[in-house]
Amino acid sequence: MSIRRRIGQELALQLSRCIEREHPLRQLFWECTLRCNVHCRHCGSDCKKVAGVKDMPGEDFLRVLDSVERKCNPHEVFVIITGGEPLVRDDLEDVCRKIYDRGFPWGLVTNGLLLTPDRFQRLRKAGMHTVALSLDGMEENHNWMRGHKDAFRMASQAIDLLVASPLHFDCVTCVNRRNYAELPAIRDFLIKKGVQEWRIYTVFPMGRAKNDPEMRLSGEEFRGVFEFIKQTRQEGFIKASYGCEGYLGEYEAEVRDHFFHCQAGISVGSVMADGAIAACASIRADYNQGNIYQDDFMEVWEHRYLPHRTFDWRRTGDCKDCRHWRYCRGNGMHLRGDDGQTILCHMKRLKETEK
């Protein structure tokens, strides 16, 4: 490790420890529905057209925000609406307008299938600040991944709406065996469209992706993703970055703008569709901290979340004697199974390709 990178990581580590002590709530995910209008091969929530859990009433989530507002400046807590597919809710604009009127900025995670021009304008009037739009390949592969014949066409139209607006947005791509080879084509498509920011993830083995071999990259492909992002960033035509998950060793500060630090339960909280009080919405239910129907959200935020804010318990298995522990500290919490062990180690996967 270069002296420059080590100094950067030490500074980032000290900042992380300060944030962990203070744990200021900065992002709050709301899983507003488990219903979805597509059937993605990699879905970690196993969402369905008809979900087994009913949509959370908007008023129930607004009561959570009332709890947050008593302890936090609402302008400093960004609400992220996710699902399922949030746009299947007919009352979404009404609820989001009430979120905005309480002073909370909010953004949307969507597959774009229902993001028509009319719906887009109504969401903007409701105070929408940001959008994260999924694009998982060119037409054939995106439609295959999403399980819908019109998914790519509607995502493409949604991108045009976003590019023409002043909203901040990014496109999000989950890399798998089928779309890995067309990453350059996706990049060129987005650049031609006028997209400025592109977030890339690798699929982790949870939900439907767990037993799907087409979701699992080879070691060479896994490293190739980071080499591709690094090259794309150097070219400068689009700001590509790897998602927040995972300590990446030599690629730290090369494929994203910050050093790794999992913010789940530290500055990021979630309210799940069944009322569970969670951290990052990708983390399995074993690490939920309460439920809004029995607990006050901010009381939970201030006094629980110990599995997320302490680290020694994670130093077992592959992590026990790992030389990367100081900066990794057990990788992202969403990569911990119900037994506390890691289900994926980025450094272990990268090491597979070392010569």
Side-chain angles (χ1 to χ4, degrees):
M1 183 186 297
S2 69
I3 294 176
R4 176 175 172 270
R5 179 173 282 120
R6 185 177 294 277
I7 291 172
Q9 292 204 326
E10 284 296 324
L11 291 172
L13 178 60
Q14 297 309 312
L15 178 60
S16 297
R17 287 173 172 168
C18 180
I19 295 172
E20 288 154 16
R21 288 192 298 270
E22 297 177 359
H23 49 265
L25 181 63
R26 291 291 178 261
Q27 287 186 332
L28 179 58
F29 284 86
W30 178 32
E31 187 182 56
C32 71
T33 183
L34 284 180
R35 292 184 294 138
C36 194
N37 52 357
V38 295
H39 189 79
C40 300
R41 297 183 68 94
H42 64 302
C43 182
S45 301
D46 197 24
C47 300
K48 300 176 175 66
K49 186 175 182 180
V50 179
V53 177
K54 292 182 179 179
D55 294 355
M56 178 182 290
E59 292 301 320
D60 294 354
F61 181 69
L62 293 173
R63 282 194 290 273
V64 172
L65 297 186
D66 292 340
S67 171
V68 173
E69 190 174 6
R70 287 192 289 269
K71 300 284 188 176
C72 305
N73 180 348
H75 301 292
E76 296 178 352
V77 180
F78 198 93
V79 176
I80 302 172
I81 315 294
T82 185
E85 170 51 50
L87 294 180
V88 302
R89 286 186 66 131
D90 294 333
D91 66 343
L92 188 66
E93 291 88 337
D94 293 336
V95 179
C96 288
R97 182 70 224 186
K98 292 174 182 176
I99 293 172
Y100 183 71
D101 288 344
R102 280 169 164 76
F104 293 88
W106 66 272
L108 180 71
V109 179
T110 180
N111 59 43
L113 202 66
L114 297 176
L115 197 61
T116 62
D118 177 66
R119 194 83 192 269
F120 182 62
Q121 291 306 317
R122 284 189 280 139
L123 290 163
R124 287 193 60 193
K125 289 179 180 177
M128 183 168 66
H129 279 54
T130 67
V131 177
L133 179 73
S134 297
L135 188 78
D136 293 316
M138 300 306 291
E139 186 164 13
E140 180 180 350
N141 281 333
H142 180 75
N143 290 347
W144 169 82
M145 184 80 155
R146 295 278 154 179
H148 196 292
K149 63 182 180 61
D150 295 319
F152 181 85
R153 178 176 62 84
M154 295 305 295
S156 178
Q157 291 181 17
I159 290 172
D160 292 337
L161 285 173
L162 292 164
V163 168
S165 79
L167 280 181
H168 180 269
F169 80 98
D170 64 356
C171 289
V172 183
T173 299
C174 291
V175 185
N176 57 74
R177 296 298 299 272
R178 283 188 49 149
N179 68 8
Y180 171 78
E182 64 180 14
L183 283 173
I186 302 170
R187 176 197 60 204
D188 295 345
F189 172 79
L190 294 176
I191 292 172
K192 187 175 180 179
K193 283 278 194 180
V195 175
Q196 297 182 11
E197 296 188 29
W198 182 24
R199 197 156 24 115
I200 297 172
Y201 287 89
T202 45
V203 179
F204 55 95
M206 294 288 283
R208 295 176 192 156
K210 183 176 181 179
N211 299 311
D212 189 339
E214 293 188 272
M215 295 293 103
R216 178 81 166 174
L217 297 174
S218 68
E220 290 74 19
E221 290 167 338
F222 190 74
R223 179 177 289 274
V225 170
F226 303 118
E227 289 294 329
F228 172 80
I229 295 173
K230 186 176 176 180
Q231 178 187 341
T232 300
R233 288 169 69 90
Q234 290 170 349
E235 292 169 353
F237 295 108
I238 188 171
K239 184 180 179 181
S241 61
Y242 188 62
C244 59
E245 66 176 73
Y247 177 72
L248 304 175
E250 67 191 275
Y251 292 106
E252 286 294 314
E254 297 285 350
V255 296
R256 53 192 171 205
D257 295 341
H258 56 85
F259 289 98
F260 170 70
H261 179 216
C262 181
Q263 293 291 320
I266 295 170
S267 66
V268 177
S270 296
V271 175
M272 309 305 283
D274 62 356
I277 298 173
C280 166
S282 297
I283 297 174
R284 59 188 298 127
D286 304 76
Y287 299 104
N288 291 346
Q289 300 297 296
N291 193 290
I292 65 167
Y293 295 111
Q294 288 86 43
D295 305 294
D296 177 79
F297 179 86
M298 283 307 295
E299 285 297 313
V300 172
W301 179 259
E302 291 182 338
H303 301 296
R304 300 188 197 176
Y305 284 93
L306 285 179
H308 302 271
R309 298 169 187 166
T310 57
F311 298 88
D312 287 346
W313 68 270
R314 310 182 197 186
R315 200 163 189 177
T316 60
D318 290 339
C319 296
K320 185 175 182 180
D321 299 312
C322 180
R323 65 187 180 91
H324 299 288
W325 170 262
R326 180 172 179 80
Y327 303 124
C328 177
R329 296 196 294 173
N331 220 348
M333 273 293 288
H334 68 294
L335 299 175
R336 292 268 159 184
D338 55 4
D339 59 356
Q341 300 297 314
T342 55
I343 60 172
L344 185 150
C345 172
H346 289 68
M347 293 306 301
K348 191 174 182 180
R349 294 226 67 204
L350 288 169
K351 191 174 182 179
E352 293 171 2
T353 65
E354 290 180 355
K355 296 180 180 179

